[in-house]
Each structure stands twice: as C-alpha cells, then as structure tokens.
C-alpha cells in the first residue's frame, strides 16, 4: 500500500481547519455521515468496498516536512502548521462491513472526531469509498449473471490512470476470480493471469509457429489467442494442432481466447471443432467490450464460454463514472446539525445514528433498513425520510445493527480479511436478499425508514432554522 | 511524481516477454503505434495529454528485488528474471506534442524498441495516455464555452481513486485555471484554491457568525458559501453584511459561491443584491453537477457567473469512462506487420510512419491529417483508410510533420514545459481549426488519409495473409 500524504485533500479542508484552529474550535467533536443518494447502474443495491484500504490510509496519514513547507508558501500560518506537523487522525469510525449491501440516503459509515481531523480525511474517504463501491457493485452484477464461469479483470490499460489499482481490488470484493494487473495482484494477493496479445502472433511470420513457441515456453496455463487473422480457418485449427503436440509431451492446452467478432457464434463453432478433435478439456475464454448485459446475453444464448475477461466497463464503472457519495455534518460541539436545501431530498439526517437491517424470522431481509438514534436498541416504526405519511411497523422483526466501531482513537479495531472472505460475505448478504432487488430492469426499491425519534429531532431542527431565517 | 514499478503492467506482457527471451527474440526491433478509434463525447477532436508524465515514468521504470521475488513465486524462470533485474527502457519514442489536437485511427505516438521493452511499457502507456487525453479533451470543451470565466477542478472526492491526481493535471492541459486538489497542485505547480464547505456553517449555531469567523481567519481570497439554509433570505444577506465589515477593515470579499438550486436564477438575484449593496467587485462562483453543456447554457442565459467549479463530470470524463486507445504492432524483426480482423475498420496500419497536418497557405488546418511512411517528406495524394475510392490531392498544401522524436535510447529529448505553456499550445492549435470541428452537435468529421505508398504496402500484406489462410 502506497503511503498517502495528508495533502491528498481539497484545499478548503485546510482553509476551514485553520479557522477552526484559530477560533478555538479545534477540539469540538464532530460527527459526519458518509452516504450516497443514488444507486449506480439503475440497480437495486450497491456493494460497499474500500473500507480496509481507507482505514489503513487514515491511520498512516500525516503531513511531511515538504507538505508543511508547501502550505507555508501557500499562505497558511505558522501556529496552524505546527499543529499540522503533529497531525494524526485520532477519532472513531463506525461502519458497515466491507462487502455488505448498502442503499441510498442512510449512513454507510460515521466519523466521530475533532472537527479538524474529520474535515481533513473527508476527501480521501469520499475518493476511496465512492470509487471502490462503484466498481464492486459493477463486478457483483457480473458475478450474479456469470454462473460458474470465471471472471477476470483485464482493465488496467483503460482504467482512469492509477485508479485501476483500486478497481482491481474492488472487482474482487464484487466476486471476480483474478486479474491481469500484476502490481495490484501482488499488493492485494489476487491470482494473476495472462497469456498473449495479438502482437505476439503478428511478430511471427506464421501463426502456427507463434503458437508453438508460446506453448513450449509457457506450457502451464497456456491460452492461445485465435482471432489475429481468421478465427475458424486459421486460429482454432492451429490451436488444435498445438494442443495435440502438447498432448504428445504430456501437457494440456488450457484454453483458447476469442477477442472479436460474434462471441456466441465463434464460441459455439470453436467448441465443436475442439470437441471433434477430442479436446473437450480445452476451455474457451472470451473478451472484448463485455459487461453484465453482454455476459448475461451470451450465457442465455448458451455460448460455451468458460472464462470472461472484462476490461473498460468493469474498471471505469461504465456507464456511471462515480458513486455520488457525500459526507455531511450530523453533530458538532454537543448539538445535532442539519443542512436544509432548496431540494427536500437533500436535507440531511442529524445526530449520531445507528442503522438496522430488518429481517424476518428466517433471516431473510424484508427489503428495508431502519435508521435510528445511536442509542436506540430496537425500533418500533419507521417513516419515509421525505414523505411523512408513509410508515411501517417493524417491532416484531429482527433488527441487525449494521454500523460497528471499526476505528477507535485512530486505531483500527477490525481484523484484516482476505478479499475472498470479503467476497464470500458479500455473496452471503446477497443470498439474504429477495431476487426482486437483484434484477437489472426496474429492480424493487429497497426501503429506508427513520425512527420516530429521529424524525422528531429532525423536524425540530428544520423548524428552528426556518424560524431563524424569517 | 511517484515511482512506478515495471510490474504496473498486464501479466501477459511478462508471459510473452519470457517466451521472446527464451526463443532468442529479445533483440528483435519492434514498432508499435498508439492510436484510438473513437473520439470521446461525440466531439470533433481530442486533446493529447499525458506525454511528459509517461516519458518520466518510462525512463524510471525498473523491477525491484521484491518485484523479482514475486515473479519468481509466480513461476517465471531464473534467466528471464535476471534479464528483468537489469530492465531499463532503452528504445525511441516518436510522438505528437502534448496539447496537440489528435484524431482517430492515425498514430498519436510510435514506440520503437526491442520487443520485450516495447511490450512491458504497453500497459502504463495506454493507462496514462488514454486517461489524460480523455480528461484534457473534456476540459477543453468547457474552456471553449466558458469565455472569460475561470474554471476550477473540484473533482478529487468523486475521482476514480488516485486517478484524480492525473485528472487534475489533464484538466490544466485542457485549459482549466486551478484546482482544489492540494497534492496535485503541489506536484504539478498548479494554482490551488479552496474556501468552505456547508459543514463549516453547520458547525456554528448561526450562519452570520460562521461567515464572520471565516472572513477574519481567511481575509485573502475569501469566498462565502451561501446556500446552506436559504440562499436569498439568509446566505446572500449575511455575505453582504460580512463584506461590508471587511470593507471597514480595508479588506475585500472575493466571491460568494452557489452550490444548489437553479444557478442561473440565483446568480442573477445574488448579483442584483450585491450590486445594490455597492459590492460590484464581489464575484459569483457556482458549482454543482456542471459540465460543458450546463456551462454553455448558463452563459447563454447570461447568468453572471465568474467562476465555475467542476467536479465529477470533469475528472471522470462522464459520460465516457475511457478513451479506446490501443497499441498495435506495425513492424518487427525487419518486416512490416499487420492485424487483420473480422471487422475491416480494425485492420491496422503497418510500417514505421509519419503523420502530417495539412494546412492552407494561411496556416489554417484544412481538416485532414495524412499518414505516410516514415521516410516520406511530402505526400501527393491521400486515400480513405477503409474506402479506397475516396481520395484527396494534397500536393499543393503545407504539410506539417507531427511525430517528433521525444525519447532516444531511453533518454527524454524534449524539454519539460509548464502546464500553462502546454495549455497555450493547445489553444493555439484549436485556433488553427475551423469552427465546424469544435461544435458539440454533429461536428464535422476530420479526415485521415493514407499515402499511396502506405496503402499499397498494406494491401500487399493483407493479400499475403489471405493467401496463407486458404
């Protein structure tokens, strides 16, 4: 994990921090909510990702001497810079677990810290959680439709610069099986795979010769790319020849890869040719502009594809470039805080809070999370956050608290899990969820309700601000 | 600039490299073209960005002991790893200048190196150039419509993780004026600015008190955010009070910032209120989901906005998550090379090449680039690359060669330019371009033609591959 400078932030965090410092607010305790407003991909759920990276980054965040020097040149004041020189995040963080399913408008995570520290970490927190959650969600949608097929990330070349590094990690959280990205594979202990590009074949005068050299040099996990010149007339026949030669050496060709043309048609034709040659064990990998819809369609057409290599649409979250997560003040200096807005759906939820997943007696999620005050243990009834006449009695349901303390006084409290463990957890959470929330077209809308107490507290604050404006 | 490991690559580059190494191909000279197939944003041009970063990264690329150890555990062989231990890129690179306008299907850059080195740098090259070119293009479109208004990048929180760092740089290449991103500002010498978030105001019991404290603490470049509770009834009146108090101290409020609601309406109302109070000098900044279309519309409505803060849509290139740039073998081991494809538009251009911009006698671009063989000095006639009956005689036009040698034997040949210089160069290139290529709706299509010689060479190769398949 690279070391992050605390200057990985927006300048206004430091501008505000200096004022807090000078005005004696630096030890005011603040609580910020991280939440988002809109599910990506018109989907029914999002997969929370990035927490472990974020906690590691935050626990190591500091300003170097060069950072301090730079800020001095940019007009920040001496006493404040002395404070920054000793900056360490020393607050608490409450969060959902990585891999959990998360939904709009309710807190995914809460930061509780002195206000300067809470502000300085805002940018990196949003940057890391918004992006990884976007990509883990995209990956999870592909996992849902891919059945037993393997899913590999091939996206680094089209990733948004170094963002590709975290995209690979998030893809694993969402259920991918491996990556082509060597540096991310090494850093995050992800299985790395890779075979050949068209250029390898082009660099030879002859495709067969190129396949032979490759199979000799890399007999383990050998995958031959068959579409450089002509898939069915040249690529597959040559691959079959080489597979037979490998058999003679006691080796097995692992797979062929299709990278252009109609993947369903070519997979079926290639499968037939391979089977006819007695190469039923040779798998078929496919790549080229894949996403969850293409994978779903290919498998519905019964294309015999065993491995999907997904690039651009995975690592950039296409067609959604970002999750719209925000970080809003809910409490400071002993009082609940609210942001009123011209738009009612942008009014925030004040207070220290807890979020509960509502389940039936069989542990199945009923399709609702409840948001209450942090000290509420059980919630009787929930209300729509913006439409006060919609309510639901939930007293008789199981209520699983979702926000756990994951950092205390700047120290990480949770144990690091492997990406496989996180992905398995995510799959288990998906299995608790009715199928209506998982379909791609107009999924059922997951309900978020607020408790009576939270509703009343919020109304009190709105009224008091309305009065002060008049 | 962070140090990149040569493992910032796809595994298949290393798999192929090992085979080349073992088969004695390691000193085969190869030439690869970098080009893209589709302009982003349905636009008429793209702004090339990322070259200087890429050259720096490539010139420092190596495998550390830990990298070698990791690759050993992953099955790579001893002799090959010894070779990687001494890996340095020692090839040549020919490229367009950063900031230049670039178009689909013709080489933007050529790499000429031994084939192993050329493969290992492929992934980072695509990663860096695809992304920065995407974002510089997006930024340039905003610069085109923003007139004299300032454009600031506010995107880090919604960027694709650490990709935001390079997004900020590319935004400057495209003509932005500054950023909120402290770490990128420091690294790339970009003006950094930043003021306050809603949380600052929320953390006070009273908006006026918050504004006062902020103006006292940060009187220089003071910008007050006016939409936390009620823009026209509370935010702007309180900002006016504080501006007047600042005048009493011999200070000037720089601006107010609008971040929600109808920006055109609120800007006009705020402007009136400020002017009425004698605060004509106080500027208006606006942010919230801006892009080139919204900025254009706001200015067409004569919204009196002086500064636009652009976030998500800038740094993620929304709605396009990537530029589809590829890296294709054009020459190796003494011969031109080609990739045939099921789709005719994916057939590559073989050979070492040069690209010329075709201009009239006044230095105005006529809307065409010509691709010839590298040793061609002047081109008589160009042909559509895929429709052989379309041609254009260009003998009488000026022909500016675009690919310059920027790296020789692994050493950077060009001098580093400031981002302002690069952005100015980009603007000067835009001014040579007829307006039809710059409009947003159905822009005129820029022509790319290939010379007679290149066309003939390509046809020869296609024929010979067709014959070998039969």
């Amino acid at each position: 994990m690279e070391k992050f400078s605390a200057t990985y932030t927006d300048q206004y965090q430091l501008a505000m921090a200096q004022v807090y410092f000078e005005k004696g607010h630096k030890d005011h305790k603040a609580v910020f909510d991280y939440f988002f407003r809109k599910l990506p991909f018109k989907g029914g759920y999002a997969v929370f990702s990035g927490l472990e990276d974020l906690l590691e980054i935050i626990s190591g965040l500091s300003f170097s001497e060069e950072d301090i020097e730079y800020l001095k040149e940019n007009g920040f004041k001496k006493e404040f810079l002395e404070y920054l020189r000793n900056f360490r995040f020393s607050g608490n963080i409450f969060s959902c677990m990585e891999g959990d399913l998360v939904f709009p408008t309710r807190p995914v995570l809460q930061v509780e810290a002195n206000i300067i520290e809470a502000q300085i970490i805002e940018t990196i927190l949003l940057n890391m959680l918004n992006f990884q959650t976007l990509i883990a969600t995209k990956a999870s949608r592909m996992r849902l439709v891919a059945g037993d097929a393997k899913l590999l990330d091939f996206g680094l070349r089209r990733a948004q610069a170094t963002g590709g590094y975290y995209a690979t990690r998030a893809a694993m959280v969402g259920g991918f099986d491996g990556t082509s990205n060597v540096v991310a594979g090494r850093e995050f202990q992800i299985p790395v795979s890779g075979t050949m590009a068209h250029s390898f074949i082009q660099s030879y005068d002859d495709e067969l010769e190129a396949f032979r050299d490759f199979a000799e040099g890399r007999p383990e996990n050998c995958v031959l790319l068959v579409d450089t010149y002509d898939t069915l007339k040249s690529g597959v026949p040559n691959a079959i020849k080489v597979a037979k030669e490998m058999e003679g050496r006691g080796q097995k060709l692992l797979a062929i890869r299709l990278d252009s043309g109609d993947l369903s048609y070519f997979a079926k034709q290639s499968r037939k040719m391979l089977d006819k040659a007695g190469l039923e064990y040779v798998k078929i990998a496919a790549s080229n502009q894949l996403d969850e819809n293409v994978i779903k369609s290919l498998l519905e057409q019964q294309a015999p594809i065993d491995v999907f290599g997904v690039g651009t649409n995975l690592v950039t979250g296409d067609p959604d470039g970002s999750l719209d997560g925000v970080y809003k003040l809910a409490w400071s200096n002993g009082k609940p805080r609210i942001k009123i807005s011209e738009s009612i759906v942008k009014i925030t939820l004040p207070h220290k809070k807890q979020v509960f997943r509502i389940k039936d007696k069989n542990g199945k999620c009923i399709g609702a999370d409840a948001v209450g005050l942090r000290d509420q243990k059980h919630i009787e009834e929930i209300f729509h956050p913006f439409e006060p006449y919609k309510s639901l009695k939930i007293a008789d349901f199981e209520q699983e608290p979702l926000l756990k303390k994951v950092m205390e006084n700047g120290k990480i409290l949770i144990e690091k899990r492997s990406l496989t463990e996180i992905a398995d957890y995510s799959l288990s959470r998906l299995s608790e969820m009715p199928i209506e929330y998982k379909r791609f077209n107009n999924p059922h809308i997951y309900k978020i309700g607020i408790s009576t107490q939270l509703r009343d507290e919020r109304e009190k604050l709105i009224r008091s601000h309305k009065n002060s404006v008049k």
Side-chain angles (χ1 to χ4, degrees), chain A:
Chain A
M1 168 80 66
E2 65 184 300
K3 170 103 177 86
F4 280 75
S5 156
T7 58
Y8 195 100
T9 194
D10 290 300
Q11 168 105 339
Y12 77 177
Q13 313 288 10
L14 301 174
M16 291 187 282
Q18 179 168 293
V19 178
Y20 288 135
F21 179 81
E22 292 185 342
K23 295 291 173 184
H25 297 193
K26 83 176 170 55
D27 297 319
H28 285 189
K29 275 273 169 291
V31 175
F32 282 84
D33 288 348
Y34 168 66
F35 64 97
F36 58 92
R37 294 196 176 104
K38 201 168 144 263
L39 283 165
F41 319 121
K42 297 180 180 159
Y45 69 93
V47 175
F48 179 46
S49 181
L51 177 66
E52 288 193 6
D53 296 325
L54 178 70
L55 295 177
E56 270 189 57
I57 290 168
I58 288 178
S59 69
L61 221 50
S62 66
F63 292 89
S64 69
E65 277 313 305
E66 294 74 35
D67 292 333
I68 299 288
E69 195 50 42
Y70 173 74
L71 295 174
K72 196 171 143 195
E73 285 162 22
N74 279 266
F76 286 93
K77 296 179 195 163
K78 210 175 147 202
E79 296 74 21
F80 174 61
L81 291 174
E82 276 312 307
Y83 168 83
L84 290 188
R85 202 186 292 274
N86 300 312
F87 173 88
R88 283 287 173 177
F89 182 78
S90 64
N92 304 326
I93 297 181
F94 301 82
S95 179
C96 290
M97 289 301 98
E98 211 169 342
D100 202 358
L101 306 185
V102 290
F103 301 92
T105 74
R106 59 88 163 164
V108 173
L109 177 149
Q110 277 199 326
V111 171
E112 184 176 75
N114 77 48
I115 194 158
I116 294 185
E117 293 174 14
Q119 289 283 188
I120 286 175
I121 68 165
E122 173 181 3
T123 306
I124 180 73
L125 181 150
L126 290 171
N127 176 271
M128 202 49 66
L129 301 183
N130 280 340
F131 180 56
Q132 284 206 37
T133 300
L134 180 79
I135 303 305
T137 306
K138 187 76 179 174
S140 169
R141 291 162 63 82
M142 296 189 211
R143 184 72 279 164
L144 268 186
V145 297
D148 293 332
K150 269 201 172 187
L151 292 171
L152 302 179
D153 154 39
F154 284 179
L156 185 58
R157 61 192 50 207
R158 298 279 172 79
Q160 299 211 338
T162 49
Y165 179 75
Y166 294 100
T168 296
R169 180 183 185 280
M172 297 299 294
V173 169
F176 265 54
D177 297 290
T179 184
S180 67
N181 181 338
V182 183
V183 68
R186 175 183 145 188
E187 188 63 33
F188 297 119
Q189 291 94 52
I190 300 169
V192 177
S193 62
T195 58
M196 53 162 58
H198 296 111
S199 59
F200 184 84
I201 295 145
Q202 287 173 264
S203 81
Y204 284 77
D205 294 337
D206 184 83
E207 189 181 54
L208 181 59
E209 195 194 338
F211 282 1
R212 274 196 182 121
D213 271 11
F214 198 83
E216 270 179 48
R218 304 266 305 170
E220 332 75 29
N221 303 319
C222 181
V223 180
L224 299 173
L225 179 60
V226 293
D227 72 332
T228 305
Y229 301 119
D230 190 306
T231 303
L232 300 179
K233 289 187 188 154
S234 168
V236 177
N238 284 333
I240 289 172
K241 271 183 215 149
V242 171
K244 289 293 172 188
E245 292 168 8
M246 290 178 78
E247 285 186 349
R249 298 194 294 273
Q251 297 163 345
K252 279 189 170 175
L253 177 65
L254 180 63
I256 61 167
R257 176 160 74 96
L258 305 166
D259 188 45
S260 60
D262 190 295
L263 295 175
S264 177
Y265 172 78
F266 283 115
K268 286 177 188 173
Q269 298 302 317
S270 305
R271 186 72 271 161
K272 275 187 207 155
M273 293 164 75
L274 289 166
D275 290 354
K276 205 172 149 198
L279 297 167
E280 291 84 356
Y281 62 83
V282 175
K283 294 190 192 307
I284 295 178
S287 48
N288 193 24
Q289 311 279 15
L290 301 178
D291 65 12
E292 63 271 46
N293 297 306
V294 177
I295 293 172
K296 185 164 183 277
S297 164
L298 285 169
L299 294 176
E300 282 167 358
Q301 295 166 71
Q302 302 187 294
I305 297 171
D306 308 287
V307 180
F308 293 95
V310 191
T312 318
N313 297 316
L314 169 68
V315 298
T316 66
D318 193 80
D320 288 330
S322 67
L323 183 77
D324 69 353
V326 293
Y327 185 81
K328 293 292 175 192
L329 187 70
W331 179 274
S332 89
N333 198 21
K335 290 182 194 168
R337 305 284 172 170
I338 196 165
K339 173 178 180 287
I340 320 280
S341 172
E342 310 292 339
S343 156
I344 188 170
V345 296
K346 287 194 165 186
I347 297 179
T348 60
L349 296 176
H351 264 280
K352 301 171 186 177
K353 297 181 284 291
Q354 178 56 282
V355 182
F356 300 89
R357 182 139 302 161
I358 311 307
K359 295 178 167 183
D360 66 19
K361 301 240 146 82
N362 304 316
K364 270 268 178 191
C365 179
I366 68 158
D369 284 356
V371 189
L373 301 179
R374 191 183 288 166
D375 51 13
Q376 289 193 267
K377 295 287 169 248
H378 197 81
I379 294 177
E380 300 291 309
E381 188 174 9
I382 52 176
F383 296 82
H384 189 290
F386 310 113
E387 300 174 35
Y389 299 108
K390 287 189 183 170
S391 68
L392 183 69
K393 295 214 190 298
I394 56 165
D396 295 339
F397 287 97
E398 280 185 48
Q399 305 188 0
E400 178 195 348
L402 300 178
L403 301 181
K404 298 190 174 60
K405 194 183 260 191
V406 296
M407 181 173 267
E408 186 169 54
N409 302 328
K411 296 257 173 333
I412 300 174
L413 293 185
I414 50 170
E415 263 183 61
K416 214 174 157 69
R417 292 179 297 168
S418 72
L419 289 172
T420 313
E421 285 172 295
I422 297 174
D424 286 348
Y425 173 66
S426 196
L427 282 177
S428 78
R429 294 301 256 181
L430 266 173
S431 72
E432 295 169 2
M433 198 63 59
I435 195 166
E436 288 77 7
Y437 299 92
K438 295 184 255 188
R439 68 175 178 240
F440 289 170
N441 289 324
N442 296 316
H444 204 42
I445 294 171
Y446 195 90
K447 290 183 183 56
I448 302 296
I450 58 178
S451 69
T452 316
Q453 290 87 329
L454 177 54
R455 183 199 60 177
D456 293 349
E457 287 284 329
R458 186 164 78 150
E459 288 194 355
K460 221 179 347 180
L461 280 172
I462 294 174
R463 267 198 307 277
S464 102
H465 280 289
K466 293 266 177 221
N467 290 335
S468 76
V469 165
K470 270 179 211 149

